[in-house]
Amino acid sequence: MKKLSKLATRLTERLPIILRTALGTLIMGQALAPAQDTTPQAELVWSDEFDGDSLDYSKWGVAVNAFGGGNHELQIYTDRPENVRVENGNLVLEARHDHAAIAGTEREYSSGRIHTKHRGDWTYGRVEVRAKLPVGQGIWPAIWMLPTDDAYGGWAASGEIDIMEYRGQTPNEVLGTLHFGGSWPENTHSSASYKLPAGTFAEEFHVFTLDWQAEKMVWSVDGHAYRTETKWHSSQAEYPAPFDQRFHLLLNLAVGGGFVGSPDATTAFPQQLLVDYVRVYQ
């Protein structure tokens, strides 16, 4: 069923060409040639469609971390199927209020975080992730990239690219952010947000895209570009550093932290970040 859905999506994307051809046949008795597309075509170099029944460990590593992910987050990251699994054609990262423990350390919440480090590392390209987001006060999903080699030093001197992050208490808005400059606390960042014209990101799947070139990055949601960035800097090297090195992808679902605050009585658990596919083009 999922493969049929993806085929339907591709056919829908080609619908304008099909309609032009049919119109030409009706009016002129012959098909009109579609307009030439002069945009350079990128090649799919890495992808995961999550069509199987388990995570592909040749593509993903799973975080096991009893102390969250920093930023005063409240979750413990585990590799349990309760927190990380593939089912019904989707990656599921699930946040739970279950007092899970690792190596004798218990935390109130548990969740999942995966990465492509040393399995998928790229310099420049287009990253597309189709996902459905969770909802609720204190819920913090993210699709982001970190440097594989830390060529310019510790965070954030070597950079961080946030393709999508989101506060569960404002479910109609996502953000795209860059972190750069020097090592903490000499770092800085730039950010912009995109709001849905109607509905929320928790109601259906959306495609989050980063187009990353040597001196330009463009963030899009469902094909709508909402941010273009051409200015950043590094304390260690000339522009376009630090974003001239290889980066890897991370997907995670955090609970709490300075960005979103703690869950409250209105926050329902479990919450899920569902990912339909990840595709990287160069």
Side-chain angles (χ1 to χ4, degrees), residues 45-254:
V45 297
W46 191 98
S47 68
D48 197 338
E49 305 291 323
F50 303 109
D51 286 333
D53 55 8
S54 63
L55 192 67
D56 185 345
Y57 291 99
S58 71
K59 297 180 177 180
W60 301 99
V62 181
V64 178
N65 186 332
F67 302 101
N71 305 300
H72 306 290
E73 297 164 27
L74 303 177
Q75 79 286 333
I76 190 171
Y77 282 130
T78 87
D79 57 359
R80 305 178 307 160
E82 292 93 328
N83 299 119
V84 181
R85 62 185 181 273
V86 173
E87 64 180 15
N88 300 322
N90 297 307
L91 167 71
V92 181
L93 300 181
E94 183 169 304
R96 303 172 66 87
H97 191 187
D98 60 357
H99 296 273
I102 295 175
T105 300
E106 178 183 304
R107 306 202 80 184
E108 186 173 358
Y109 304 95
S110 67
S111 193
R113 169 169 161 166
I114 65 174
H115 63 84
T116 67
K117 188 174 184 179
H118 300 308
R119 299 164 173 86
D121 309 89
W122 312 278
T123 307
Y124 313 132
R126 184 172 78 248
V127 181
E128 294 183 355
V129 180
R130 185 172 187 265
K132 182 179 180 182
L133 307 186
V135 66
Q137 166 65 40
I139 301 298
W140 181 7
I143 301 166
W144 52 305
M145 303 184 79
L146 282 176
T148 298
D149 305 303
D150 287 332
Y152 301 116
W155 191 87
S158 294
E160 175 183 321
I161 306 170
D162 298 330
I163 300 172
M164 184 289 302
E165 61 181 341
Y166 156 100
R167 297 177 176 94
Q169 57 263 44
T170 54
N172 68 332
E173 180 181 31
V174 295
L175 294 93
T177 304
L178 285 182
H179 297 268
F180 52 90
S183 297
W184 185 89
E186 304 301 323
N187 58 293
T188 187
H189 72 277
S190 62
S191 186
S193 65
Y194 174 84
K195 290 186 177 181
L196 283 174
T200 76
F201 287 101
E203 294 172 355
E204 58 186 37
F205 284 84
H206 295 270
V207 178
F208 305 98
T209 304
L210 172 75
D211 284 290
W212 173 22
Q213 302 175 32
E215 297 183 354
K216 182 172 73 172
M217 296 191 198
V218 180
W219 285 256
S220 304
V221 175
D222 298 329
H224 303 287
Y226 70 92
R227 180 185 184 203
T228 299
E229 184 61 73
T230 59
K231 296 180 180 180
W232 55 79
H233 64 270
S234 166
S235 64
Q236 301 298 316
E238 295 183 356
Y239 180 85
F243 301 110
D244 58 351
Q245 303 293 315
R246 61 177 186 161
F247 278 63
H248 60 274
L249 186 67
L250 300 97
L251 308 173
N252 74 282
L253 176 53

